[in-house]
Amino acid sequence: MRILGIESSCDDTAAAVVVDGRHILSNIISSQLKEHAPFGGVVPEIAARKHVESIGEVIEKALTDAGLNYNQIDAIGVTARHGLLRSIVVGAAAGKALSLSLNVPLVGIHHIEGHIYSNILEHGDSIRFPHLCLTVSGGHTLLLLVHALDHYELLGRALDDAAGEVYDKIARYLDLGFPGGPIIDKLALEGNSTALDLPRPMLHDPGYDFSFSGLKTAVIRQIEKLQRAGTPIPLADVAASFQQAVVDVLIGRILRAATVYNLSTVTVCGGVAANRGLRSALAKLAESHSIEAFYPPLPLCTDNGAMIAGLAYHKIMSGAVSDLRLDAQANAPLGISGVIYK
Amino acid sequence: MKHLIVDTSTRQNWIALFEDDRMCGCLHFEDKQSCLINLTPGIRHLLDNAGWHIQQINRCSTVIGPGAWSSLRIGLATVKLLCMTNQIALTTLTSSQIIAGYAELMGVTSPTLLTALDAGGGKVYSAVFVWHQEGYQLVGADSWEVPRATALRAVDLTDLTIIGDGAQLLAPYKQAGWQFICQQPQADSRYLRYIAQSTLKYGQITYEHEAVISLKPLYVQPSSAEIEFKVQVT
């Protein structure tokens, strides 16, 4: 079954064709980084404007790269939940029009569920259930117990800023550019991760929630202290120390949950899953605690249509198909209750 | 000629089917929240009632704004994909062209027409049309500004009709010879027929396949973030 997946929940306009939930024929992502960079973050209205301009071209490119025409598509998967509402509606409208036009099934997908699926899309049956999944990006930080597709248990979440959001804010404060994640990750390679004494918020608190806002404030205060003393800001050391603090908290939470729930499979997904510091720490954790750790390849870390198309296949196989009245929601629970099916 | 019309530029969203000059069905729904939910099912409903398939449509017409942005984007994304997948020609009209056409339907024939839409925040979208042979022709581009600036630009125009829901914002600056029609087009069969026939009028643009792909709404104003950023830079 050839499924066209459409994703427009934030600032990437994406479309992909995936066969039988596993084989990626194309994966097109139109980035809006240039448009948002001057503002140091994603501007919802600008994102929505760019989506409507790009959506047609991205879909056509996904078909061309897959070597298919419209009539060879068997179903449409489209992000309909969780993200910027005015962005989601553009992709959802396009998906619904395609479903009507091609007379093929339509499946509304939850954006977070798509990210969770990105590891299964890449690694297939190597991902065993139940497993622990850290979904971490600029919009969310969630620790989930994944019992099965459609069956998720939320263990912890960011109570304030998402991890990726703090990267962006620190980068903006230091005037490093946007997005902050890759820039700080690169700088951190050259810095001393113990140069700044930074807190590890909530690391030893009970439960599995996260809080990164205090860490952000601590970094800014230390920079201000250096500025008052007339000391040049050691950017690489700041980046390395900040990144180490974030990674310590994320890895600490993963280890605790894996131990308490006796899980030996851990997946990490979302934009921050591309972070080299996190990947390196995860590899060490896996080695030292006999855990199998998985993360997607870089094109599947960022928002993409392939994860939406891949998951849509499983939804269709389980009979979960939407109809043309599918709506869009900025916030929705994960799982079957989050997306309207017939 | 089978013709699909989609207008999601205002809170009153309209869909209609025409075969040449005969309206074969229409429906409307209100508010932007329901636009995504109702638009595609509405198109299917009309097609089913008419016994048509989407592939039989020869032309699609839509309004590209300025207006209610989210609804405009939903409408344009929908008609773009319908046109792209079925090789349907897409004709676009601006909101001001629609209002100018409505003025014609109302029998307005003043030499100059100024369309004014309430843009919110105390500003108006406006455009100037002049009577040319059998209808109004757009002069210049659409504007987004405070009413006083619009009035200043129009101050030398005599025998002027100002029409649209933004006309009331220009009323305090009334000059001799200015007439006001403070209402939006009433979307009825006459109005929809006007849109269906408007490919014969002035200023509308018809796009074929390649050009349809990158079409975007006519926003006229920058986003609020861009405005704030320009202020900061200045």
Side-chain angles (χ1 to χ4, degrees):
Chain A
M1 180 179 280
R2 290 175 289 250
I3 300 183
L4 174 68
I6 300 169
E7 151 67 35
S8 68
S9 64
C10 190
D11 62 331
D12 290 319
T13 317
V17 180
V18 176
V19 179
D20 295 341
R22 280 301 305 279
H23 307 294
I24 301 171
L25 297 186
S26 64
N27 188 23
I28 305 301
I29 301 166
S30 174
S31 170
Q32 301 179 6
L33 283 182
K34 274 187 199 167
E35 282 75 11
H36 299 286
F39 306 98
V42 175
V43 181
E45 176 58 25
I46 293 174
R49 290 182 176 201
K50 194 67 185 167
H51 281 311
V52 77
E53 194 178 334
S54 305
I55 191 82
E57 189 178 349
V58 166
I59 289 171
E60 291 250 320
K61 183 85 166 56
L63 285 169
T64 304
D65 278 18
L68 300 174
N69 60 48
Y70 285 108
N71 292 324
Q72 292 173 292
I73 294 298
D74 301 309
I76 306 295
V78 64
T79 301
R81 293 289 183 274
H82 215 75
L84 303 173
L85 188 59
R86 59 183 104 171
S87 288
I88 297 174
V89 297
V90 175
K96 290 167 76 167
L98 281 168
S99 173
L100 167 68
S101 202
L102 307 175
N103 196 27
V104 296
L106 174 73
V107 187
I109 297 291
H110 194 296
H111 174 74
I112 301 292
E113 213 177 341
H115 273 301
I116 295 168
Y117 185 78
S118 64
N119 272 302
I120 298 167
L121 177 59
E122 175 66 18
H123 304 292
D125 294 338
S126 300
I127 309 288
R128 289 189 297 247
F129 296 99
H131 68 259
L132 190 66
C133 178
L134 175 70
T135 306
V136 59
S137 72
H140 41 79
T141 305
L142 303 170
L143 193 60
L144 298 150
L145 186 51
V146 185
H147 295 282
L149 287 179
D150 271 349
H151 187 184
Y152 309 95
E153 186 179 342
L154 179 65
L155 300 181
R157 62 189 172 86
L159 300 177
D160 39 52
D161 293 349
E165 189 180 357
V166 181
Y167 270 89
D168 288 338
K169 287 179 177 175
I170 294 293
R172 189 161 63 212
Y173 185 77
L174 292 170
D175 205 17
L176 296 174
F178 173 80
I183 298 167
I184 289 177
D185 189 25
K186 190 177 176 187
L187 259 178
L189 290 174
E190 303 156 12
N192 174 6
S193 63
T194 59
L196 271 65
D197 183 20
L198 294 172
R200 269 61 173 164
M202 296 186 77
L203 180 58
H204 302 295
D205 288 9
Y208 302 95
D209 287 335
F210 303 90
S211 171
F212 293 107
S213 182
L215 174 61
K216 174 190 67 187
T217 305
V219 172
I220 290 171
R221 281 188 182 152
Q222 295 223 21
I223 293 167
E224 286 172 347
K225 196 174 165 186
L226 291 168
Q227 286 172 329
R228 279 196 300 273
T231 309
I233 297 168
L235 289 176
D237 288 348
V238 171
S241 301
F242 163 70
Q243 175 149 300
Q244 191 61 53
V246 173
V247 167
D248 284 351
V249 171
L250 295 175
I251 293 293
R253 288 308 212 200
I254 287 173
L255 178 58
R256 177 193 284 180
T259 306
V260 169
Y261 289 92
N262 193 27
L263 298 169
S264 59
T265 303
V266 172
T267 64
V268 180
C269 57
V272 181
N275 184 284
R276 281 170 289 193
L278 179 59
R279 286 184 176 221
S280 170
L282 197 61
K284 284 178 191 162
L285 175 78
E287 193 178 335
S288 60
H289 289 79
S290 299
I291 287 171
E292 279 193 292
F294 298 91
Y295 34 78
L298 296 182
L300 298 183
C301 287
T302 186
D303 292 347
N304 65 88
M307 65 187 190
I308 303 302
L311 182 57
Y313 170 77
H314 292 277
K315 297 288 184 190
I316 291 171
M317 290 295 107
S318 66
V321 178
S322 312
D323 65 22
L324 289 179
R325 288 184 62 81
L326 177 70
D327 68 348
Q329 287 180 18
N331 292 296
L334 268 174
I336 195 86
S337 58
V339 176
I340 296 169
Y341 300 113
K342 280 193 285 192
Chain B
M1 157 126 16
K2 289 182 167 59
H3 197 159
L4 168 66
I5 293 162
V6 174
D7 180 0
T8 57
S9 64
T10 66
R11 284 186 182 173
Q12 293 270 342
N13 297 281
W14 282 87
I15 316 166
L17 289 180
F18 277 79
E19 182 152 33
D20 299 323
D21 196 30
R22 182 174 65 90
M23 190 164 74
C24 302
C26 77
L27 60 84
H28 88 283
F29 45 91
E30 292 186 24
D31 91 65
K32 65 181 179 182
Q33 294 298 333
S34 68
C35 184
L36 177 67
I37 298 171
N38 292 321
L39 181 57
T40 315
I43 294 169
R44 169 170 277 176
H45 175 75
L46 289 180
L47 289 169
D48 289 347
N49 275 1
W52 297 356
H53 189 274
I54 187 71
Q55 289 166 342
Q56 293 176 273
I57 298 291
N58 306 106
R59 182 182 296 281
C60 187
S61 291
T62 196
V63 182
I64 56 166
W69 292 348
S70 277
S71 299
L72 275 170
R73 284 191 280 262
I74 291 166
L76 189 54
T78 301
V79 298
K80 273 170 77 164
L81 268 298
L82 291 178
C83 291
M84 284 165 57
T85 48
N86 295 289
Q87 305 290 315
I88 301 169
L90 175 60
T91 297
T92 61
L93 299 96
T94 67
S95 301
S96 54
Q97 285 169 336
I98 292 291
I99 296 173
Y102 185 64
E104 289 178 27
L105 288 176
M106 292 179 72
V108 175
T109 56
S110 62
T112 315
L113 183 78
L114 190 143
T115 60
L117 287 94
D118 186 346
K123 296 194 175 181
V124 290
Y125 298 116
S126 64
V128 177
F129 292 79
V130 295
W131 187 262
H132 180 75
Q133 295 176 349
E134 295 180 335
Y136 281 111
Q137 186 172 12
L138 179 67
V139 179
D142 287 64
S143 299
W144 169 72
E145 57 200 0
V146 293
R148 184 168 174 271
T150 306
L152 279 172
R153 286 196 298 115
V155 74
D156 294 331
L157 300 174
T158 53
D159 204 356
L160 171 72
T161 298
I162 301 173
I163 182 171
D165 67 357
Q168 60 191 354
L169 297 170
L170 293 162
Y173 309 99
K174 184 176 181 180
Q175 303 286 314
W178 287 13
Q179 292 182 321
F180 288 82
I181 304 172
C182 300
Q183 64 181 65
Q184 284 293 96
Q186 300 302 304
D188 53 20
S189 58
R190 282 199 316 159
Y191 163 83
L192 293 166
R193 185 168 286 109
Y194 167 77
I195 299 177
Q197 295 171 338
S198 62
T199 50
L200 305 174
K201 296 275 184 178
Y202 305 102
Q204 297 79 14
I205 304 170
T206 297
Y207 298 88
E208 301 297 336
H209 180 71
E210 289 302 320
V212 169
I213 292 174
S214 56
L215 265 178
K216 55 187 176 184
L218 178 65
Y219 293 109
V220 181
Q221 62 164 299
S223 72
S224 56
E226 289 168 306
I227 295 165
E228 286 168 17
F229 184 67
K230 277 177 189 167
V231 170
Q232 285 173 13
V233 170
T234 304

